[in-house]
Amino acid sequence: MGSLEEQTPETNYTKPPGIRFLECRKNFTLSYRAYQVIVLTVTFFAYASYHATRKTTSIVKSALDPQTSQVGLGFSPWPRTHFLRSSEKREVSWVLGNGWAPFNGSDGTSMLGEIDLAFLSVYSAGMYFAGHLGDRLDLRIFLTVGMVGTGLFTSLFGLGYWLNIHNFYYFLMVQMLAGLFQSTGWPSVVAVVGHWFGKKKRGLIMGIWNAHTSVGNITGSLIASALLKYGWGWSFVAPGLLIALVGLVVFLLLPVSPESVGAEEEDELQSPIKSGGGVTEPLLRPGKEVVKDKAVGFIEAWKIPGVAPFALCLFFSKLVAYTFLYWLPFYISHTAIDGQYLSDETAGNLSTMFDVGGVVGGILAGHISDRLDARAVTAASFMYCAIPALFFYRSYGHVSLYINIALMFITGMFVNGPYALITTAVSADLGTHSSLNGNSRALATVTAIIDGTGSVGAALGPLLTGYISAKSWSAVFTMLMMAALVAGLLLTRLVMAEVAAKIEVSRSQGGRPPRSPAIAVEV
């Protein structure tokens, strides 16, 4: 009894202020499942707001650099503004037609690619440090600071419109600082969700939860497209204010872990790890012992079986995904569809179909990987299917608007499916790997290693696209197909291990299959 009384003040002290206020006001204590709902909801909107701010750059590209529409980008000599009525042309020409120095020159496309590179390079480098810090700091405070900082520097980019700034290095530095604060997001939210959910149905739960990426992209696209005609600065400031507001919600409500709020797991929420023939400890053991775990080092995290191949796979997977994230609206607006060019706003809205497909792909990949208990097989299969999807979208996407939408949806499903699976369920599995002996202080570090490595590819893809697209979009799609192929091949050893394990289980006809060999295999 004395021990429980000593723990109570500490538990109350570490609860988020919003949770304490709610429990005090209603005079009851939240259940474990209620905390899980709060965690999924708050982290969902938190990371959706990150992607909403990240997506705006791709929407504004054509407004900053409208002069390259006829440089090897389309199939038809029709003018790019064909879908704009004469009154609409007059209304938005001062925003969308003249461009913005220094991006409206002959090298504007490559300059925009360099800004993407700077943002994603700092983002990927910052991810490693963010993961290291995330396992050592209060994730609620860490995530709040990252979101407010992201909102500040996203807004500062947009303020260049009203302050009449035309210095390339201003936009470059602001985007680099925005990338630094953006890097706090993913390791933090995956670590928090990993603390609250065991491995059972993790792929499906995280597949649904990972829809925040596409929801954020869609939200960012719609907001930026709708505000573009009022001045491109609004397309940055509005998402910047949005993420700062959501950051305040994170500070008030987000419970970092069951231990921090004194919650105890219920029913089947503890998911045991099978190793060999026996059952070992749960993925995350509640109680003081977990809290006292020493955070796993960077090199030690790299040595966890499965981390390296999945990290390298994500390098090429995110190269493909982020090329679409940053360049798809630009590609659509500069490509004649059924002999007609779409306006920048219409192209931005149409590009959301790629993200809708991504939502379906993420959920489907998570569900399939749970049913098969085979993360590597699922991820590799999706990457291989992405190759013909990319080919057909490039070859036949211009035939009609409906064909473009259908092929874009399918491409988004296969491109974002493995990307979503690796950055969520796989990262959480590896961050609670049996080789860690129950240590839960590796989630943010492992997530940062995998997504940080992937973000290097995410930086490389848009940069190369900025240069290659000026000569040939067919060459860009060839690059993307090759990247998808390499991503699938990098998982070959893990795929073979999973298949061998399934064959062995099938022959033995005994019990349930072991935990995913893609995670358990020694590499």
Side-chain angles (χ1 to χ4, degrees):
M1 291 295 293
S3 173
L4 289 175
E5 292 174 358
E6 292 173 2
Q7 291 180 15
T8 302
E10 180 181 354
T11 300
N12 290 335
Y13 178 77
T14 56
K15 287 184 179 181
I19 298 294
R20 280 185 285 163
F21 174 80
L22 180 63
E23 290 185 340
C24 180
R25 179 93 178 202
K26 300 295 184 180
N27 197 26
F28 72 93
T29 301
L30 293 177
S31 67
Y32 193 93
R33 289 191 181 276
Y35 276 118
Q36 287 184 312
V37 171
I38 291 174
V39 166
L40 286 179
T41 304
V42 173
T43 55
F44 182 95
F45 285 106
Y47 206 68
S49 65
Y50 271 104
H51 262 264
T53 61
R54 201 176 302 173
K55 180 66 175 178
T56 56
T57 306
S58 67
I59 302 298
V60 179
K61 269 189 172 77
S62 294
L64 301 177
D65 174 30
Q67 303 301 324
T68 55
S69 59
Q70 303 301 325
V71 188
L73 299 173
F75 297 99
S76 165
W78 289 87
R80 181 171 61 88
T81 55
H82 179 83
F83 271 19
L84 289 174
R85 296 186 295 271
S86 58
S87 60
E88 291 175 328
K89 289 181 184 178
R90 189 162 48 251
E91 178 184 352
V92 301
S93 62
W94 63 279
V95 175
L96 302 180
N98 300 327
W100 190 266
F103 305 108
N104 58 352
S106 59
D107 58 346
T109 304
S110 61
M111 292 176 73
L112 290 169
E114 289 166 7
I115 283 185
D116 290 343
L117 173 66
F119 173 89
L120 291 167
S121 296
V122 174
Y123 174 77
S124 58
M127 187 81 71
Y128 295 114
F129 293 102
H132 183 77
L133 292 173
D135 281 327
R136 291 159 175 80
L137 301 175
D138 186 332
L139 285 172
R140 179 170 60 89
I141 305 299
F142 188 59
L143 187 57
T144 301
V145 172
M147 295 178 74
V148 173
T150 297
L152 172 64
F153 288 103
T154 301
S155 299
L156 284 175
F157 194 102
L159 284 176
Y161 172 77
W162 290 284
L163 298 177
N164 202 30
I165 297 175
H166 298 278
N167 190 314
F168 170 75
Y169 294 101
Y170 169 82
F171 297 107
L172 184 70
M173 290 302 300
V174 167
Q175 277 294 80
M176 290 174 68
L177 290 170
L180 181 63
F181 280 96
Q182 283 256 0
S183 66
T184 61
W186 192 240
S188 301
V189 295
V190 172
V192 172
V193 173
H195 287 151
W196 284 96
F197 292 88
K199 187 177 182 291
K200 186 178 181 180
K201 294 185 179 179
R202 178 181 276 166
L204 177 59
I205 291 172
M206 285 193 154
I208 297 172
W209 173 75
N210 192 68
H212 53 49
T213 298
S214 297
V215 170
N217 290 340
I218 293 170
T219 303
S221 296
L222 295 178
I223 292 175
S225 297
L227 297 177
L228 195 57
K229 58 187 175 183
Y230 300 108
W232 62 263
W234 287 111
S235 298
F236 285 93
V237 171
L241 294 176
L242 174 65
I243 192 174
L245 180 62
V246 178
L248 177 61
V249 175
V250 167
F251 175 77
L252 293 175
L253 292 178
L254 184 63
V256 172
S257 67
E259 298 79 31
S260 68
V261 294
E264 295 183 359
E265 288 187 270
E266 304 165 353
D267 303 324
E268 301 177 8
L269 290 174
Q270 292 191 62
S271 179
I273 301 174
K274 270 200 172 187
S275 179
V279 178
T280 62
E281 298 296 325
L283 286 173
L284 293 171
R285 302 189 307 274
K288 286 187 175 181
E289 190 175 353
V290 173
V291 178
K292 292 181 179 180
D293 284 333
K294 182 180 179 181
V296 173
F298 183 78
I299 302 300
E300 184 181 354
W302 265 107
K303 295 179 180 178
I304 296 174
V307 168
F310 273 114
L312 294 174
C313 172
L314 191 62
F315 175 97
F316 291 97
S317 177
K318 285 192 76 168
L319 185 152
V320 180
Y322 268 65
T323 296
F324 275 89
L325 175 68
Y326 279 93
W327 287 99
L328 181 57
F330 187 89
Y331 171 74
I332 294 173
S333 67
H334 290 75
T335 299
I337 299 176
D338 195 17
Q340 299 172 329
Y341 284 89
L342 303 181
S343 68
D344 296 312
E345 181 179 351
T346 304
N349 292 333
L350 182 62
S351 69
T352 59
M353 288 306 302
F354 179 84
D355 296 297
V356 174
V359 173
V360 177
I363 296 173
L364 192 61
H367 178 63
I368 292 174
S369 70
D370 277 344
R371 292 294 298 270
L372 298 179
D373 199 17
R375 308 286 198 216
V377 169
T378 305
S381 299
F382 269 69
M383 290 311 308
Y384 291 138
C385 289
I387 298 173
L390 288 164
F391 174 80
F392 286 119
Y393 180 65
R394 170 57 184 169
S395 300
Y396 301 104
H398 67 282
V399 173
S400 75
L401 189 62
Y402 294 108
I403 292 177
N404 187 285
I405 290 173
L407 292 176
M408 191 191 310
F409 177 89
I410 294 171
T411 303
M413 184 173 67
F414 287 120
V415 167
N416 282 347
Y419 163 40
L421 180 65
I422 295 172
T423 55
T424 54
V426 169
S427 296
D429 287 350
L430 292 170
T432 54
H433 190 265
S434 57
S435 66
L436 297 170
N437 298 318
N439 187 348
S440 67
R441 302 285 302 278
L443 273 168
T445 301
V446 169
T447 301
I449 286 175
I450 292 176
D451 203 46
T453 303
S455 295
V456 177
L460 184 61
L463 173 69
L464 293 176
T465 300
Y467 290 103
I468 299 174
S469 64
K471 297 182 178 179
S472 169
W473 274 103
S474 294
V476 171
F477 276 81
T478 299
M479 174 189 74
L480 298 180
M481 287 186 283
M482 291 298 297
L485 175 63
V486 174
L489 292 176
L490 284 167
L491 296 180
T492 299
R493 185 177 177 185
L494 301 183
V495 169
M496 293 175 63
E498 284 184 346
V499 172
K502 297 297 179 186
I503 294 175
E504 182 181 350
V505 169
S506 179
R507 288 175 178 174
S508 65
Q509 298 284 324
R512 294 173 57 191
R515 193 171 68 91
S516 177
I519 308 301
V521 66
E522 296 294 334
V523 292

